Amino acid sequence: MKETVESILATPNSSQKNVMIVDDNNYYRSMRYEYHQLAAKFNTGYLQIYMDTRLELPCESWENSLTIDSADLNNPSMMSKIWVRIQEAISNPVSTIKRLEEKKLVAEQSKLCNNHNVVHNIDKALRKQISQYIREHKEKNSARVLAAQLNDIRQSVMEDAKRGIIVPPADILKADESIDMPKLETWVTTIFLQRCSSQHGHDLVILE
């Protein structure tokens, strides 16, 4: 059966779209997965219609399963429902879905990497400090001028962090390699205040 299906899929027909119904036992998920892989290989859609309790219950997202019980068989709208699902499968080939899932996974991994990136979190902590100082001093000073001065300090700290001129304490990394943000923010606050103090006498408007 599988060889026959693969042979048909390997013969492209650009003039029309066809629906291939595989009427086989496929009791186990692993058996059904072989056809899912064929759908991915030949960039076509995949849909399961689950009707028998003897089959291994579909539970994986890739199975794209439509469950039908005996009562549904007497429902005149069931064929329309099945056809809608078939059209959705045709419009969303397995390979396309896989690429989207892979992109999502890469994005999630990239986000996780950024969250664990010390320099990235230093920048977040600095921006938090800047927002706090502007809120505390905006009534006495121009918020725009103040933000520009503080941003210069932020950039100088970031540049030194990237070049390794300043190095955060080693204990900001937890055993699971995640970042202890309270410790990092405490360290960043100290560095930030030191840089602010060094600007005293150079028209840093937040210092009184």
Side-chain angles (χ1 to χ4, degrees), residues 1-117:
M1 177 70 78
K2 180 186 174 186
E3 292 177 357
T4 301
V5 170
E6 185 168 11
S7 176
I8 295 173
L9 290 174
T11 306
N13 186 343
S14 59
S15 63
Q16 60 183 358
K17 293 182 179 180
N18 300 311
V19 176
M20 190 184 310
I21 300 176
V22 180
D23 185 12
D24 201 353
N25 291 329
N26 292 323
Y27 288 119
Y28 301 110
R29 189 175 301 114
S30 58
M31 297 176 179
R32 306 193 291 260
Y33 189 65
E34 293 180 358
Y35 292 100
H36 179 268
Q37 292 294 82
L38 284 180
K41 179 179 179 180
F42 292 101
N43 193 34
T44 189
Y46 175 88
L47 171 67
Q48 290 179 193
I49 298 180
Y50 178 79
M51 298 178 60
D52 196 318
T53 55
R54 294 176 60 190
L55 274 66
E56 186 176 17
L57 185 68
C59 65
E60 300 287 348
S61 59
W62 62 263
E63 294 188 88
N64 189 25
S65 181
L66 173 61
T67 300
I68 299 176
D69 58 31
S70 57
D72 292 326
L73 297 177
N74 299 318
N75 187 337
S77 65
M78 181 49 62
M79 282 307 300
S80 296
K81 183 176 182 180
I82 292 174
W83 182 240
V84 168
R85 291 292 297 271
I86 289 174
Q87 290 177 314
E88 289 176 350
I90 292 174
S91 301
N92 297 279
V94 172
S95 55
T96 301
I97 295 173
K98 281 192 168 184
R99 284 195 295 269
L100 292 174
E101 289 176 345
E102 289 169 357
K103 287 182 179 180
K104 182 179 178 181
L105 179 60
V106 169
E108 290 174 349
Q109 290 175 337
S110 177
K111 182 178 179 180
L112 181 61
C113 182
N114 281 339
N115 287 339
H116 287 181
N117 184 283

Side-chain angles (χ1 to χ4, degrees), residues 49-193:
I49 298 180
Y50 178 79
M51 298 178 60
D52 196 318
T53 55
R54 294 176 60 190
L55 274 66
E56 186 176 17
L57 185 68
C59 65
E60 300 287 348
S61 59
W62 62 263
E63 294 188 88
N64 189 25
S65 181
L66 173 61
T67 300
I68 299 176
D69 58 31
S70 57
D72 292 326
L73 297 177
N74 299 318
N75 187 337
S77 65
M78 181 49 62
M79 282 307 300
S80 296
K81 183 176 182 180
I82 292 174
W83 182 240
V84 168
R85 291 292 297 271
I86 289 174
Q87 290 177 314
E88 289 176 350
I90 292 174
S91 301
N92 297 279
V94 172
S95 55
T96 301
I97 295 173
K98 281 192 168 184
R99 284 195 295 269
L100 292 174
E101 289 176 345
E102 289 169 357
K103 287 182 179 180
K104 182 179 178 181
L105 179 60
V106 169
E108 290 174 349
Q109 290 175 337
S110 177
K111 182 178 179 180
L112 181 61
C113 182
N114 281 339
N115 287 339
H116 287 181
N117 184 283
V118 175
V119 173
H120 173 74
N121 281 284
I122 288 174
D123 192 33
K124 287 172 61 177
L126 285 168
R127 292 178 186 275
K128 181 178 178 180
Q129 283 291 317
I130 289 174
S131 296
Q132 179 180 335
Y133 273 96
I134 291 175
R135 285 197 302 269
E136 294 175 353
H137 297 83
K138 65 180 179 180
E139 294 181 359
K140 300 178 181 178
N141 306 284
S142 166
R144 182 176 60 82
V145 174
L146 181 58
Q149 292 177 333
L150 294 175
N151 192 56
D152 287 342
I153 294 175
R154 180 188 66 83
Q155 290 179 346
S156 71
V157 174
M158 289 297 300
E159 184 62 26
D160 286 351
K162 291 176 182 178
R163 295 169 59 187
I165 296 175
I166 56 174
V167 180
D171 63 352
I172 68 167
L173 287 179
K174 300 179 182 179
D176 62 355
E177 295 186 355
S178 64
I179 295 175
D180 188 327
M181 285 306 296
K183 287 185 178 180
L184 178 65
E185 289 180 355
T186 298
W187 175 78
V188 167
T189 299
T190 301
I191 297 296
F192 185 74
L193 291 176

